[in-house]
Amino acid sequence: MNGTYYISAERMTVGYDGKPLIENISIGVRRGEILTLIGPNGSGKSTILKSMIKQLRLIAGTVVLDGKDMAGLRERDIAKKLAIVMTDRIRGELMTCWDIAATGRYPYTGRLGILSKEDKAIVDEAIETVHAKDFADRPFSAISDGQRQRILLARAIAQQPEIIVLDEPTSFLDVKHKLELLDILKHMVREKQVAVIVSLHELDLAEKISDRVVCVAHNRIDRCDTPENIFRDDYIRSLYGIENGSFHTLFGSVELPAVSGAPQVFVIGGGGSGIPVYRALQRAGVPFAAGVVAESDLDYPVAKALASELLSVPAFSVPSESDARTAADRMRAIGRAICTVPAFGETNAANEKLYEAAKAAGILVSADAFIGRADA
Amino acid sequence: MEEKRKTERNASGTRLWLGFALLLLALLGFAVWNIVAGSTALSIREVFDGLLNPSSPHRVIVMDVRMVRILPAILLGGALALSGFLLQTFFNNPIAGPFILGISSGAKLVLSVTMIGFLSRGIAVGSVTLILSSFVGAMLSMGFVLAISYQVKRMSMLIICGVMIGYICSAITEFVIRFADDSNIVKLHDWAMGSFASIRWDNIIVIAAVVLPALVITFLMSKPIGAYQLGETYAQNMGVNIKAFRVALILLSGVLSACVTAFAGPISFVGVAVPHLMRRLFKTAKPIVMIPACFLSGAVFCLFCDLIARTAFAPNELSISSVTAVFGAPVVILVMLKRQKEGGR
């Protein structure tokens, strides 16, 4: 089964001090492929990674690197193939960023570790790859977390590995740097056919960059599959044990649980215009009804997660006259309405009627009334 | 950008050569000063005469009074500083050192017991026995410190525990010396305070045979030491066999500090202060620079301190440890203050 895997764990049992944490793990990654580990905190993602890079002693099973049992390989030979970016805080006393990146050349230099001209050129190139030229000469202790993470990646790149293992590389980065880091990884994979194993917390990013996803939870490998098969609302909910709130595969985002109680306002939405208002009402703790939304509408998943009452119609269908009447009755009973729809057309004629009914009844209000931001 | 980096690299190259030139010059300067200064002042001409001419009237003073003290000061001073650098790397702790961690005191304890045991039976103690028993003591203390270091992660706690181990060992040593025969006490007491005074030529040969190979081995290990400075995880990924490396580091620093304690007694603060000053001077922590630099400046530092110990209150002599403490301890305080300011642990 592992004929094409560059690195694979075979019936591997991992744990600390001889106590098994996760048993019988069999996963692998091919060159030019990204394998992502997801799962709740403390599920053992780092333990698996540490075991695969020989940082932790295996309790059972083997790790095979490029066709050879890793236990029998010399450290130096492993170092030429496998680079890491771990969460350990690196010390680097009195070292510049360039110096840190240059430590990636370690397996290639001679006894005293003196860098050749070629080594230096490789380090320069790695620094350029991660767009770190501007701060390459600054002390490593004086740069931001995001910059540090890039330098560690440059270090891994300078090592010219066939596989890079990264443990939560995006944890302390802002959105921009997260994207940048993953983009660089993706490039490495595509252009240099590097294999990547990475653990991530951000499900949306995991869904976007992974070729295959390993789900670690409840002391086992719960699933290992393509992102398409993993990122399903119900599965993610059960994987993370989300009881309050929900996960949307399409948006790759999570929603907090709906505010329960009798609706205080009816939100006329559709086409994505309702989402910000749904979320604002949820934040303000105001239970609301939403309608009329088709199940194929952009607003539907969020309305479904957040509204205490939802009037919907099946996907790709247009609300009928009677749907509109039921909604109008309900709206009047609630007594207040917000309309978020900027324009009406053929498919949301029902909502236009609803809007006019609200106006006629004089119950149309602005969303600001509920979110306590009259100045906004 | 490229240009800037090039000039910066050249600047650090210049700093390197200037730094080593300065150290060598200081070594030579203090060595000469140490030969000429003393209860009988000598001129440079008399020194050369004493060095080169076996029948010179100055031969005894130059060779058997002054040189016999200068050479150990150089070798043992260098060994101490190097041992300190290794321990700082090992514990990732800028104020670790053989004295502060109680390693010297452990060596002193086992050494005293051995010496008293031998002397009371009328057996002379050879250099090798001295080093071996001192090494056993150093390793015992090191074992305690290691056990503690797995329990506490805070650097200050490790130091406090080391100091406590040092006090316990010193107290027991004091106790043991009280029970020794009168004739032994004086010599033991001198040595227990730290001094280069009682070293003989045959000792020096043994010292050189231990310290110089240890220096060479340490220098050859500068690559893995540099990797280890990044932390164990990365060092291993760079291809360092961590277990073997840790054992080698412990043995080397243990041998070096044991050798010092065996012949000169415990000498304080050299191991902490010197590596720190060298990091300052060379603006790097790279082992390939730090190892020779620490050795040289440890030698300079001990020559300087021994000069003061001998001449400041002549004819009375100070213990070398009290002089090194006066100059070394403030450096340690400065390091701690600096760490505090940088928000370190």
Side-chain angles (χ1 to χ4, degrees):
Chain A
M1 92 187 212
N2 60 356
T4 51
Y5 283 148
Y6 188 73
I7 187 171
S8 61
E10 284 164 22
R11 309 183 67 80
M12 173 177 82
T13 296
V14 301
Y16 293 92
D17 303 322
K19 270 187 238 151
L21 181 68
I22 306 178
E23 293 178 50
N24 219 349
I25 303 166
S26 292
I27 53 176
V29 62
R30 298 175 188 87
R31 296 192 60 165
E33 199 180 70
I34 297 183
L35 180 73
T36 308
L37 269 62
I38 62 167
N41 284 335
S43 57
K45 299 188 294 287
S46 293
T47 314
I48 293 176
L49 290 182
K50 280 183 197 159
S51 303
M52 287 192 76
I53 62 172
K54 229 181 158 184
Q55 207 74 238
L56 265 181
R57 190 193 292 271
L58 299 186
I59 294 174
T62 48
V63 177
V64 176
L65 177 70
D66 201 8
K68 287 180 196 116
D69 184 353
M70 224 160 118
L73 288 175
R74 289 199 344 225
E75 311 284 354
R76 198 187 167 93
D77 296 329
I78 295 174
K80 284 183 182 170
K81 293 177 172 166
L82 181 146
I84 56 170
V85 176
M86 303 303 273
T87 48
D88 305 53
R89 239 183 155 48
I90 211 164
R91 297 172 203 150
E93 193 190 9
L94 292 172
M95 290 172 95
T96 66
C97 294
W98 196 94
D99 290 336
I100 295 282
T103 61
R105 296 307 297 160
Y106 185 99
Y108 302 95
T109 53
R111 185 133 220 9
L112 290 178
I114 294 164
L115 296 169
S116 70
K117 218 172 184 170
E118 198 192 338
D119 288 323
K120 286 177 185 168
I122 291 168
V123 177
D124 282 337
E125 199 192 311
I127 292 267
E128 225 156 291
T129 309
V130 301
H131 317 296
K133 238 177 141 185
D134 294 343
F135 55 90
D137 290 316
R138 295 189 53 199
F140 187 68
S141 52
I143 56 172
S144 71
D145 283 332
Q147 292 171 325
R148 223 167 270 174
Q149 210 61 280
R150 271 144 78 190
I151 292 299
L152 288 181
L153 185 59
R155 185 189 162 276
I157 292 171
Q159 207 169 328
Q160 294 183 320
E162 322 266 351
I163 170 158
I164 306 182
V165 175
L166 306 96
D167 193 7
E168 291 174 14
T170 51
S171 285
F172 298 104
L173 306 189
D174 60 30
V175 172
K176 174 180 176 242
H177 289 119
K178 272 180 196 181
L179 291 175
E180 213 173 84
L181 192 99
L182 295 176
D183 189 47
I184 295 164
L185 266 188
K186 201 84 195 168
H187 265 279
M188 291 286 294
V189 169
R190 255 190 238 132
E191 281 159 28
K192 308 207 165 148
Q193 288 293 301
V194 176
V196 168
I197 302 182
V198 58
S199 68
L200 283 179
H201 266 309
E202 300 85 350
L203 298 178
D204 51 331
L205 298 177
E207 188 179 356
K208 280 155 205 160
I209 66 155
S210 318
D211 292 297
R212 263 164 338 113
V213 180
V214 172
C215 306
V216 188
H218 323 301
N219 291 340
R220 63 197 157 94
I221 301 291
D222 207 57
R223 268 195 208 180
C224 176
D225 212 329
T226 57
E228 293 75 28
N229 290 329
I230 295 284
F231 290 97
R232 292 172 181 273
D233 299 3
D234 298 346
Y235 179 63
I236 293 295
R237 273 185 71 146
S238 79
L239 177 67
Y240 281 87
I242 302 176
E243 281 156 14
N244 300 310
S246 54
F247 176 81
H248 298 306
T249 332
L250 283 178
F251 299 149
S253 66
V254 290
E255 297 296 346
L256 290 165
V259 183
S260 58
Q264 293 177 19
V265 61
F266 189 100
V267 182
I268 307 164
S273 67
I275 293 175
V277 174
Y278 301 153
R279 287 189 179 146
L281 289 171
Q282 198 280 339
R283 281 197 300 276
V286 179
F288 64 93
V292 177
V293 211
E295 279 171 18
S296 53
D297 195 282
L298 208 50
D299 274 348
Y300 178 78
V302 182
K304 191 177 167 225
L306 299 184
S308 62
E309 202 177 309
L310 176 61
L311 287 86
S312 62
V313 292
F316 305 110
S317 62
V318 175
S320 65
E321 287 282 324
S322 75
D323 287 331
R325 263 199 305 280
T326 323
D329 289 346
R330 187 67 194 119
M331 179 180 76
R332 276 190 287 266
I334 291 168
R336 276 184 292 188
I338 300 170
C339 181
T340 64
V341 190
F344 295 104
E346 227 172 84
T347 55
N348 63 351
N351 279 348
E352 185 172 14
K353 278 190 187 135
L354 218 49
Y355 168 69
E356 272 155 13
K359 218 156 79 173
I363 55 171
L364 202 60
V365 294
S366 138
D368 298 340
F370 292 93
I371 35 193
R373 284 187 307 173
D375 54 320
Chain B
M1 191 66 222
E2 285 303 306
E3 280 311 303
K4 190 179 146 235
R5 187 175 306 155
K6 247 175 217 159
T7 47
E8 262 169 36
R9 286 202 195 133
N10 285 343
S12 68
T14 318
R15 178 179 283 276
L16 208 64
W17 292 120
L18 276 179
F20 277 111
L22 187 78
L23 286 179
L24 285 172
L25 219 65
L27 185 69
L28 193 69
F30 278 116
V32 171
W33 196 348
N34 261 297
I35 297 186
V36 297
S39 51
T40 318
L42 296 174
S43 70
I44 299 285
R45 182 188 298 272
E46 287 166 333
V47 170
F48 271 107
D49 189 40
L51 275 176
L52 303 172
N53 180 3
S55 58
S56 155
H58 308 293
R59 181 72 176 179
V60 174
I61 280 203
V62 170
M63 295 303 282
D64 295 340
V65 178
R66 303 276 160 85
M67 281 304 274
V68 84
R69 217 171 147 141
I70 289 168
L71 288 176
I74 291 173
L75 289 169
L76 298 180
L80 263 182
L82 202 54
S83 167
F85 173 71
L86 292 176
L87 289 170
Q88 287 166 20
T89 306
F90 187 89
F91 289 109
N92 179 31
N93 187 331
I95 47 177
F99 187 82
I100 241 174
L101 290 178
I103 294 163
S104 301
S105 309
K108 184 175 81 172
L109 171 60
V110 176
L111 200 50
S112 313
V113 174
T114 314
M115 279 171 84
I116 289 169
F118 272 59
L119 292 174
S120 63
R121 284 175 184 78
I123 311 166
V125 189
S127 298
V128 177
T129 317
L130 281 177
I131 291 188
L132 278 180
S133 55
S134 174
F135 182 66
V136 169
M139 283 297 133
L140 281 177
S141 278
M142 186 88 85
F144 275 111
V145 175
L146 276 174
I148 291 167
S149 76
Y150 283 114
Q151 304 291 322
V152 298
K153 290 289 167 231
R154 288 243 310 281
M155 119 182 160
S156 43
M157 278 305 291
L158 183 71
I159 298 296
I160 291 169
C161 292
V163 170
M164 294 304 143
I165 291 174
Y167 271 114
I168 295 168
C169 292
S170 295
I172 301 175
T173 310
E174 194 76 6
F175 189 74
V176 169
I177 290 178
R178 287 274 169 265
F179 280 88
D181 287 344
D182 293 326
S183 58
N184 301 326
I185 291 176
V186 179
K187 186 171 178 272
L188 264 176
H189 197 72
D190 260 7
W191 163 86
M193 300 291 292
S195 164
F196 292 121
S198 47
I199 299 173
R200 300 182 314 266
W201 272 106
D202 60 315
N203 297 144
I204 293 178
I205 292 165
V206 177
I207 293 172
V210 173
V211 172
L212 294 178
L215 170 66
V216 172
I217 294 170
T218 309
F219 186 72
L220 290 177
M221 276 174 66
S222 51
K223 191 180 165 187
I225 293 174
Y228 194 80
Q229 283 174 334
L230 294 190
E232 260 180 55
T233 309
Y234 285 97
Q236 192 193 17
N237 181 243
M238 284 185 238
V240 178
N241 182 340
I242 292 291
K243 265 194 194 146
F245 175 78
R246 282 174 70 103
V247 170
L249 215 59
I250 286 292
L251 287 179
L252 275 174
S253 61
V255 162
L256 287 167
S257 52
C259 188
V260 176
T261 311
F263 296 103
I267 299 176
S268 57
F269 294 107
V270 179
V272 188
V274 168
H276 178 71
L277 292 173
M278 288 306 102
R279 276 190 279 263
R280 275 283 152 114
L281 176 65
F282 286 98
K283 295 231 185 301
T284 179
K286 282 190 188 119
I288 198 162
V289 176
M290 286 300 286
I291 290 167
C294 284
F295 192 87
L296 278 176
S297 61
V300 172
F301 190 76
C302 280
L303 279 178
F304 166 71
C305 290
D306 196 40
L307 186 69
I308 292 177
R310 285 195 303 125
T311 57
F313 298 101
N316 289 324
E317 207 173 280
L318 296 170
S319 82
I320 179 79
S321 204
S322 42
V323 183
T324 54
V326 166
F327 292 100
V331 175
V332 177
I333 294 172
L334 282 179
V335 176
M336 299 218 287
L337 285 179
K338 195 168 152 272
R339 300 279 298 194
Q340 190 79 32
K341 230 183 255 169
E342 285 168 1
R345 293 157 297 164

